Amino acid sequence: MPHLAYHFFFLVFLGFFALLSPRASQADETVYRFGVVPQFEHRKLFAIWKPIIDEISRRTGIRLELAATLTVPEFERALSAGNYDFVYANPYHILREYTHQGYLPLVRDDKPLRGILVVHRDNPVRSPVELRGQRLAIPSFNAVGASLLLRADLEDLFKVEMIPVNVKTHSSAYLQVASGQLPAAGGVEKTLQEQDVRVRDLLRVIYTTRDMPSHPVAAHPRVPPRLRQAVQQAILNLDGSKAGHELLAHVPIQRAVATSMQDYLPMRQWGLDRFWAD
């Protein structure tokens, strides 16, 4: 009888220990959706993000699934509905959800984000003032650097209003100008550097916006803190290896650093809401 009692309590102890193990809990069987704002066309986005998310899963033991949408409005609806457990989104997306879904920024690129206004290299235009009333290719109405902040600067600093034309992605916006279809495009420095050199060489930047903190990887508050911390640390560690750094460079994230909502709150005073399209 004492032997049976000892065996029983030993099994209870093992079961309790298993419950405490981070990789053995029932929660770890959950598939966590990782959303990514569609900056690039679908195939390129998958080629960039799938290896990163797979590697984070491997390092953490957390089951992550890439949840990609074809358009930014689809992405915004999913974000506002809280459909993503983890997400890579533009800073203003995170700010707008601050009092709703409450996504928590974890990691961002140390390099700031800047919006740019580009024209064809052969276009004689030198100042945004010369583009008053003309059409502006943008990746989406709510792209923070390529549309919201750029249009705010054009209006506030240059007294210039342009006619935004939503062409769905950064790559499409640049191509519209490179091919002569539209006179100017809004973008960001990082995505311009990601374009094919043949497209890049046909473009000229005539204005650059103020700095803002880069797109964060953020987590929904329903995700347990230990899992949020595990993903944050996995991305930081990934950047510490040569192979991992090369993967993140395509996002592009040149140097991953920890972040929080405090880095983004000052942007609430910039008045970008006047250009937001619901």
Side-chain angles (χ1 to χ4, degrees):
M1 184 71 177
H3 176 74
L4 290 175
Y6 172 80
H7 185 66
F8 171 77
F9 284 114
F10 180 70
L11 290 175
V12 170
F13 173 78
L14 285 180
F16 179 71
F17 181 79
L19 287 174
L20 293 178
S21 173
R23 296 177 72 93
S25 69
Q26 186 176 2
D28 285 340
E29 296 304 310
T30 303
V31 176
Y32 291 89
R33 289 168 56 83
F34 197 124
V36 176
V37 64
Q39 288 178 298
F40 308 109
E41 58 89 15
H42 207 59
R43 285 175 298 179
K44 183 175 181 179
L45 186 143
F46 256 86
I48 289 172
W49 276 99
K50 186 68 165 58
I52 293 172
I53 291 173
D54 287 348
E55 183 61 18
I56 295 170
S57 289
R58 188 188 70 79
R59 289 173 179 244
T60 62
I62 301 168
R63 297 177 63 188
L64 298 172
E65 172 187 79
L66 175 57
T69 58
L70 291 175
T71 68
V72 173
E74 287 179 76
F75 170 83
E76 290 170 348
R77 286 192 292 271
L79 185 73
S80 294
N83 290 351
Y84 302 128
D85 302 297
F86 295 95
V87 66
Y88 176 77
N90 86 41
Y92 211 63
H93 284 141
I94 299 301
L95 276 175
R96 282 187 61 87
E97 293 302 326
Y98 179 54
T99 56
H100 299 98
Q101 294 298 332
Y103 283 94
L104 304 167
L106 303 175
V107 179
R108 61 175 171 84
D109 188 3
D110 186 42
K111 184 178 179 181
L113 187 70
R114 300 183 187 95
I116 54 175
L117 179 63
V118 302
V119 297
H120 195 282
R121 69 180 182 190
D122 296 331
N123 191 325
V125 165
R126 295 292 169 182
S127 167
V129 174
E130 300 172 69
L131 293 170
R132 182 178 283 109
Q134 296 194 45
R135 291 180 298 164
L136 175 72
I138 55 172
S140 78
F141 289 109
N142 298 333
V144 64
S147 178
L148 300 178
L149 182 54
L150 177 62
R151 291 164 65 198
D153 277 7
L154 290 176
E155 186 173 293
D156 296 344
L157 301 179
F158 299 96
K159 311 304 178 190
V160 166
E161 289 187 31
M162 298 187 68
I163 303 167
V165 180
N166 182 5
V167 297
K168 309 302 184 184
T169 68
H170 283 252
S171 298
S172 294
Y174 297 131
L175 282 171
Q176 289 288 323
V177 177
S179 63
Q181 300 300 304
L182 289 174
V188 294
E189 291 175 326
K190 292 181 178 184
T191 56
L192 180 60
Q193 293 307 310
E194 284 293 300
Q195 303 307 306
D196 187 285
V197 66
R198 292 170 296 182
V199 173
R200 248 185 6 248
D201 285 349
L202 290 172
L203 303 174
R204 180 166 53 84
V205 177
I206 64 168
Y207 177 72
T208 302
T209 70
R210 75 195 93 169
D211 292 359
M212 72 187 90
S214 291
H215 290 46
V217 171
H220 197 281
R222 67 170 169 263
V223 177
R226 67 181 182 84
L227 300 188
R228 300 199 300 258
Q229 293 163 7
V231 168
Q232 180 187 53
Q233 194 57 52
I235 297 173
L236 295 174
N237 291 343
L238 187 61
D239 192 37
S241 68
K242 182 180 178 182
H245 180 78
E246 289 175 355
L247 286 177
L248 292 173
H250 292 296
V251 171
I253 295 175
Q254 298 299 330
R255 179 173 175 264
V257 295
T259 192
S260 71
M261 184 56 75
Q262 296 306 311
D263 289 338
Y264 297 92
L265 287 178
M267 292 177 60
R268 299 179 86 181
Q269 310 305 317
W270 292 4
L272 304 187
D273 232 23
R274 61 195 144 139
F275 298 104
W276 184 269
D278 289 319

